[in-house]
Amino acid sequence: MSDSIAAEPTVRERNERRIFDAAELVFARHGYRGASIQAIAAAAELPKSNVLYYVGSKRRLYVALLERTMARWNTALSDISEDDDPATVIETFIRSKMALSQTHPLSSRLFANEILQGAPFLQETLAGSMREWVESRAAIFRRWAEQGRMDPVDPVWLIFLIWSATQHYADFEAQVLGITGQAGLADADFAAATDCLCQVILKGCGLTRG
């Protein structure tokens, strides 16, 4: 069989995907306290014992969902280097985050709810691995500024800005729809909003879109 053909997911992988998707829906709808393994098992159409076998506990499943969301969001910045083009990196980051707000809005809302509660389950991650990740990305942005390749904007605040601006369209969808008078945002709306963010943020960094 050709190596180019992706392997079929295993039974475990399929079940874990069902559990994660169901848990995301239940947690986003009811919050951590209101959710239960039984409700997640029902949504996944699996026995409760199977869910516990795969995830261990409600807490472990909840934290794993949050960490999966952060990993998805930050993929576009994870492998950047000083040799990369700043405009391309920042625009790619904005576009990937906006695409995830469109395709995975529940993930964003789940994360927002955790942060609004004071991040009780993410304090260690935020103060540890996420702080280190942000600082390592910021160091590259600072070198670009030192080289005159972009304006010397504070890279940590810039990352916060991109996170918040792109997640707005998932977390505050009701506000966006109410003000625009639409029942839902179309692909063209997300494309226009994405172009707007790219234009404003890149110009603010002294960069030109590619």
Side-chain angles (χ1 to χ4, degrees):
M1 182 169 58
S2 171
D3 292 338
S4 64
I5 299 176
E8 286 292 323
T10 64
V11 172
R12 182 183 186 92
E13 289 170 338
R14 288 198 299 270
N15 284 343
E16 287 180 342
R17 188 177 305 160
R18 289 170 64 182
I19 292 167
F20 270 67
D21 289 346
E24 191 171 79
L25 176 64
V26 173
F27 281 128
R29 182 175 296 168
H30 301 290
Y32 179 79
R33 293 184 181 277
S36 68
I37 290 293
Q38 183 59 58
I40 292 167
E45 298 182 343
L46 290 169
K48 180 180 177 180
S49 58
N50 283 32
V51 174
L52 288 171
Y53 170 77
Y54 286 115
V55 303
S57 68
K58 183 172 83 166
R59 181 190 180 99
R60 285 182 60 185
L61 176 56
Y62 180 72
V63 173
L65 275 172
L66 295 171
E67 291 179 342
R68 182 180 73 163
T69 295
M70 290 188 291
R72 275 177 179 163
W73 284 345
N74 298 329
T75 296
L77 283 188
S78 291
D79 296 324
I80 64 171
S81 73
E82 188 177 338
D83 296 329
D84 291 328
D85 174 56
T88 300
V89 167
I90 294 173
E91 181 164 359
T92 299
F93 186 37
I94 294 169
R95 291 189 178 281
S96 67
K97 284 287 282 88
M98 282 293 284
L100 287 169
S101 283
Q102 182 178 11
T103 58
H104 294 81
L106 288 180
S107 296
S108 186
R109 291 169 200 157
L110 182 64
F111 183 86
N113 287 337
E114 167 68 11
I115 298 303
L116 288 171
Q117 296 299 317
F121 295 94
L122 281 183
Q123 282 294 340
E124 185 176 342
T125 300
L126 295 176
S129 59
M130 276 304 298
R131 179 184 292 174
E132 294 172 0
W133 183 89
V134 169
E135 185 50 43
S136 66
R137 305 305 89 192
I140 295 173
F141 282 45
R142 292 189 188 101
R143 288 197 289 273
W144 286 337
E146 290 166 1
Q147 295 165 2
R149 298 171 65 192
M150 65 180 289
D151 287 354
V153 298
D154 187 298
V156 175
W157 302 137
L158 175 60
I159 291 171
F160 282 142
L161 171 63
I162 294 172
W163 277 342
S164 60
T166 53
Q167 287 155 223
H168 178 89
Y169 294 90
D171 302 343
F172 294 92
E173 181 188 44
Q175 180 192 50
V176 174
L177 297 181
I179 291 173
T180 60
Q182 296 175 254
L185 293 180
D187 291 348
D189 297 315
F190 272 97
T194 302
D195 286 341
C196 178
L197 287 179
C198 289
Q199 180 181 0
V200 171
I201 293 174
L202 289 177
K203 188 170 185 179
C205 293
L207 299 169
T208 302
R209 290 176 60 189

